[in-house]
Amino acid sequence: METNFKKVRVFAFYLPQFHPIVENDFWWGKGFTEWTNVSKAKPLFPTHYQPRIPGDLGFYDLRLQEVQEQQAIMAGEYGIDGFIYWHYWLGEGKQMMQMPIEQMFENKNITLPFALCWANHSWYAKNWNSKGVKGKDKLLLRQTYPGIGDYKNHFRKVLKFFLDDRYIRINNKPIFGLYEPYSLPDVNIFIDVWNQLAKENGLDGIHFIAFNSQHKNANKPFEYKYDSSIVEYVGSSKNINNNFFKYFYLGVLKRIFKWPHIISYKKYLKHVLEETNKNTNVFPCIVPNYDHSPRSHRAATILHNSTPTLWGKLLDGVLKQLKDREGEQFLFIKAWNEWAEGNYLEPDLKFGKKYLEVLRNKIDENE
């Protein structure tokens, strides 16, 4: 899909995890999915919104093709221009959670555009107990970079997606994200190899996008051969409590009393709008909500008191900033369905479709 856009396009990250896999069965017990953590979550303080229970789509299983069809239809109706699927390639041909992506690719009833972002990180069992005390993490799967031969094999595996008419492109270049853009020991060689292979297969190259959790790294990708940069502001928002005494107080609560790291959504909103990078090759990535406690308990980071109204204020500000830019105007949302991070646009029982309705309204208002 060619994307020389004149208006802001909105893409949501998509987690292809919600189905049993052999590895999770072995590590965590038969039938484990992210829903296991989601359903067991408990509030850590009186106003803490947990557990978060899915609404319209329920506790779905991605082995059912109807689920992905319903998700794509819903996303399109409320202004999402495409899904960015997390893609797991651990080196030497080892892939994880590929079934939903393959199933979507084969299902031509799904017309929503898509792209891939390589979740190139090792898998660990995070050792947090119920009180938030952290021990030594256990390595489950190691991300490896065996070299040029593996880069070529990786490209061959994803080429069919790049050639699909639904795949999101910029100037005939499929976009491809890297979650840990600086972990590759030879990132420029990787980029050169893939660009050459893309040209040999009728494309003009690959548009490489580096994912950054801290806004201070927004321009770092351009020290390498990346074409653009995504900045997600949750990582840097941990430092927004700039009042020394409050920062010290919260640090004491976290370290001594095992209190989660709580940031008000209002402060997160203000932080994003103040720190948004104006570089035309840097795309913002915003979250409607964030709460890692289903996975990490009291060691969690929590954006507290997110509401559809505040989400609308954030969208309005970011969309207005993007409209003033030259070039591609992309807004990334993390995420469509990362439920165990309390980070989703899908309907839940408390708010229903309100976050989606606000998204649709703000997109319409800013066209």
Side-chain angles (χ1 to χ4, degrees), residues 20-79:
I21 60 175
V22 172
E23 291 85 354
N24 278 336
D25 284 349
F26 176 76
W27 295 325
W28 313 114
K30 190 73 173 175
F32 175 92
T33 70
E34 285 286 85
W35 294 129
T36 308
N37 288 328
V38 171
S39 62
K40 293 192 300 183
K42 296 179 180 179
L44 301 179
F45 47 90
T47 57
H48 185 200
Y49 173 30
Q50 285 293 354
R52 295 167 179 259
I53 306 300
D56 299 41
L57 298 173
F59 290 97
Y60 52 76
D61 186 330
L62 290 181
R63 290 175 294 185
L64 301 176
Q65 292 194 36
E66 292 85 352
V67 171
Q68 286 182 283
E69 292 177 9
Q70 291 168 358
Q71 289 173 317
I73 291 170
M74 182 182 291
E77 286 178 347
Y78 288 95

Side-chain angles (χ1 to χ4, degrees), residues 128-168:
W128 288 299
N129 67 20
S130 61
K131 294 183 179 180
V133 178
K134 194 173 188 315
K136 185 176 181 180
D137 294 339
K138 178 182 178 182
L139 178 66
L140 301 176
L141 290 171
R142 186 180 300 279
Q143 175 68 56
T144 63
Y145 305 101
I148 291 177
D150 192 69
Y151 296 159
K152 290 181 177 180
N153 288 336
H154 188 182
F155 181 87
R156 284 191 282 268
K157 283 290 185 181
V158 297
L159 175 60
K160 67 179 182 181
F161 300 113
F162 293 160
L163 296 176
D164 191 283
D165 289 341
R166 296 167 294 176
Y167 201 92
I168 302 161

Side-chain angles (χ1 to χ4, degrees), residues 8 10 78 80 265 268-269 272-273 284 286-288 307-323 331-333 345 354-363 365-366:
V8 177
V10 180
Y78 288 95
I80 300 294
Y265 196 83
Y268 164 75
L269 183 164
V272 173
L273 295 181
I286 58 176
V287 301
T307 65
T309 299
L310 291 175
W311 169 236
K313 288 183 179 179
L314 177 58
L315 281 168
D316 200 45
V318 173
L319 289 169
K320 281 182 168 60
Q321 290 176 346
L322 283 171
K323 281 177 66 178
L331 172 61
F332 292 89
I333 297 175
L345 282 172
K354 289 182 180 178
Y355 280 84
L356 286 170
E357 290 167 354
V358 168
L359 174 63
R360 175 76 271 172
N361 291 338
K362 291 301 177 183
I363 291 171
E365 290 173 11
N366 283 279

Side-chain angles (χ1 to χ4, degrees), residues 184-199:
L184 283 75
D186 49 3
V187 61
N188 285 341
I189 292 175
F190 168 77
I191 289 173
D192 286 342
V193 168
W194 273 40
N195 274 326
Q196 181 60 39
L197 290 171
K199 291 172 183 176

Side-chain angles (χ1 to χ4, degrees), residues 237-244 246-248 250 261-264 267:
S237 69
K238 294 179 182 180
N239 302 318
I240 65 177
N241 292 310
N242 50 14
N243 180 296
F244 172 80
K246 187 167 186 180
Y247 187 81
F248 177 78
L250 291 173
H261 195 117
I262 303 170
I263 304 162
S264 78
K267 284 192 173 182

